[in-house]
Amino acid sequence: MKMSLKSYKFVDGEFRVTDEMKADFENDGFVIVRGLLSNAEIRHVEKALNTGPFQEHTYGVGDGEGREAHLIMWNHPGVDVTGMVGKSEKVAGTCEELLGGEVYHYHTKLMKKPAKIGGKHVWHQDYGYWYRYGNLFPYMMTVFIAVDNATKENGCLQVLKGSHKCGRIDHITVDGQQGADLERVGEIAKVFPLEYVELQQGDALFFHCNLLHCSSANTSEARRWAFLCAYNRADNNPVKDHFHPKYTPLEKVPNSAILECQDFTTMDGKWFNDPVLDKVPGRRIGIKGQ
């Protein structure tokens, strides 16, 4: 797999956020860290995703072309293996360095593009709709961790490098999804280069909430699973209730906790999102324990 984009490496448990990395995040809207999770850690996380009740909470998102992308989403990291990833220093701690302040866990999701039938995701910014959830500032970001190799063939992420500098763009319904105004995207694409973010298992893309990104359908023989952790800065506490949580202090754990944790099934502290129930007025499922 050809990987031409600039990246950083997590080697032998050693990694720190440098000024260069911060500058790249500010200028490009993203940074890539190769090998953020080891092969052993990826297998450990995948075991948790298949052992616990996660798969029971899968739902589909249509792409307007007869395909679906599947996902599982939950609030609050919890105490199992997947929670250790979301609370780890190399994931949450790196986000604090890049966003310049304390963060809390906004949500985690497993994005699944089945082989042959996995649907596309239209051009969008995460803040394009997070804005509507009461977050006043774009002090938010996502860590996209490849569980499987992500390639052009199986629908890897595509980004417009530097497009976060355009600020929030109006979002409308595009092919049944929440997508950015395509006329605006077309003009932005004339200014900022399109990059395919091909990743190997364990590689991670840390990206700003205003970065324009999309992905194509998976027509290959290989599935594409990705584990995504989203964070909000603590001083950006949402001003209205939503199914995603308000500020909840995050107790970070050392990176070693990912493999040391042998809890694959405890779902205490999590709350799985439901695309139907989440639309019920007054259902504040983002509040822990409710």
Side-chain angles (χ1 to χ4, degrees):
M1 183 194 304
K2 183 180 179 180
M3 297 181 291
S4 59
L5 285 173
K6 179 181 179 180
S7 61
Y8 298 83
K9 291 185 178 180
F10 192 93
V11 180
D12 298 328
E14 294 295 329
F15 175 77
R16 67 183 182 88
V17 178
T18 63
D19 289 341
E20 181 183 8
M21 188 174 178
K22 291 178 182 178
D24 287 343
F25 184 76
E26 181 176 349
N27 292 329
D28 300 337
F30 66 91
V31 291
I32 296 171
V33 179
R34 304 289 181 189
L36 184 74
L37 293 192
S38 67
N39 290 336
E41 288 171 329
I42 286 292
R43 290 193 298 270
H44 206 55
V45 170
E46 193 170 0
K47 178 180 177 180
L49 293 170
N50 288 315
T51 301
F54 292 96
Q55 302 304 322
E56 300 171 10
H57 297 278
T58 299
Y59 59 93
V61 177
D63 68 357
E65 298 180 357
R67 293 186 174 89
E68 283 190 339
H70 299 158
L71 71 152
I72 307 163
M73 184 185 297
W74 60 95
N75 297 323
H76 306 294
V79 298
D80 70 321
V81 171
T82 66
M84 295 305 108
V85 176
K87 295 188 288 189
S88 67
E89 285 287 351
K90 61 184 175 182
V91 177
T94 298
C95 290
E96 289 189 329
E97 292 281 348
L98 294 176
L99 284 178
E102 178 191 356
V103 302
Y104 73 94
H105 178 269
Y106 198 54
H107 61 73
T108 290
K109 57 188 172 185
L110 176 68
M111 299 295 300
K112 302 188 294 180
K113 285 194 178 186
K116 291 289 189 182
I117 61 172
K120 70 178 183 180
H121 286 282
V122 299
W123 283 107
H124 68 282
Q125 302 164 310
D126 292 340
Y127 191 61
Y129 43 91
W130 289 351
Y131 165 92
R132 300 173 184 168
Y133 302 166
N135 300 289
L136 297 183
F137 302 97
Y139 303 154
M140 309 176 77
M141 65 179 297
T142 299
V143 186
F144 179 110
I145 304 171
V147 177
D148 302 315
N149 291 346
T151 66
K152 290 182 181 179
E153 290 72 27
N154 68 9
C156 70
L157 279 188
Q158 301 170 41
V159 303
L160 292 179
K161 185 178 179 180
S163 59
H164 65 301
K165 297 174 183 176
C166 295
R168 177 184 171 271
I169 299 163
D170 287 339
H171 278 56
I172 57 178
T173 300
V174 179
D175 293 334
Q177 301 177 22
Q178 288 298 303
D181 178 350
L182 289 180
E183 182 177 354
R184 190 81 170 189
V185 172
E187 294 300 321
I188 292 172
K190 297 176 183 178
V191 179
F192 297 104
L194 169 66
E195 301 283 4
Y196 288 83
V197 184
E198 295 193 287
L199 304 173
Q200 293 184 331
Q201 287 182 326
D203 292 349
L205 175 76
F206 291 77
F207 66 97
H208 191 278
C209 64
N210 269 334
L211 183 73
L212 278 164
H213 58 287
C214 73
S215 61
S216 300
N218 180 9
T219 58
S220 77
E221 299 288 347
R223 72 173 197 187
R224 195 217 74 178
W225 277 21
F227 188 86
L228 285 72
C229 298
Y231 299 90
N232 189 13
R233 215 167 74 177
D235 59 359
N236 192 34
N237 196 27
V239 297
K240 65 180 182 180
D241 294 331
H242 191 262
F243 58 77
H244 289 317
K246 287 191 172 183
Y247 171 65
T248 309
L250 179 67
E251 296 182 8
K252 295 193 298 295
V253 299
N255 298 330
S256 59
I258 297 173
L259 284 179
E260 290 171 354
C261 181
Q262 296 299 312
D263 190 334
F264 299 96
T265 58
T266 300
M267 299 293 107
D268 294 352
K270 297 182 186 292
W271 195 298
F272 288 93
N273 291 38
D274 185 297
V276 176
L277 292 178
D278 291 352
K279 296 179 181 179
V280 176
R283 187 174 188 266
R284 296 166 53 194
I285 71 168
I287 307 298
K288 192 172 183 179
Q290 185 169 328

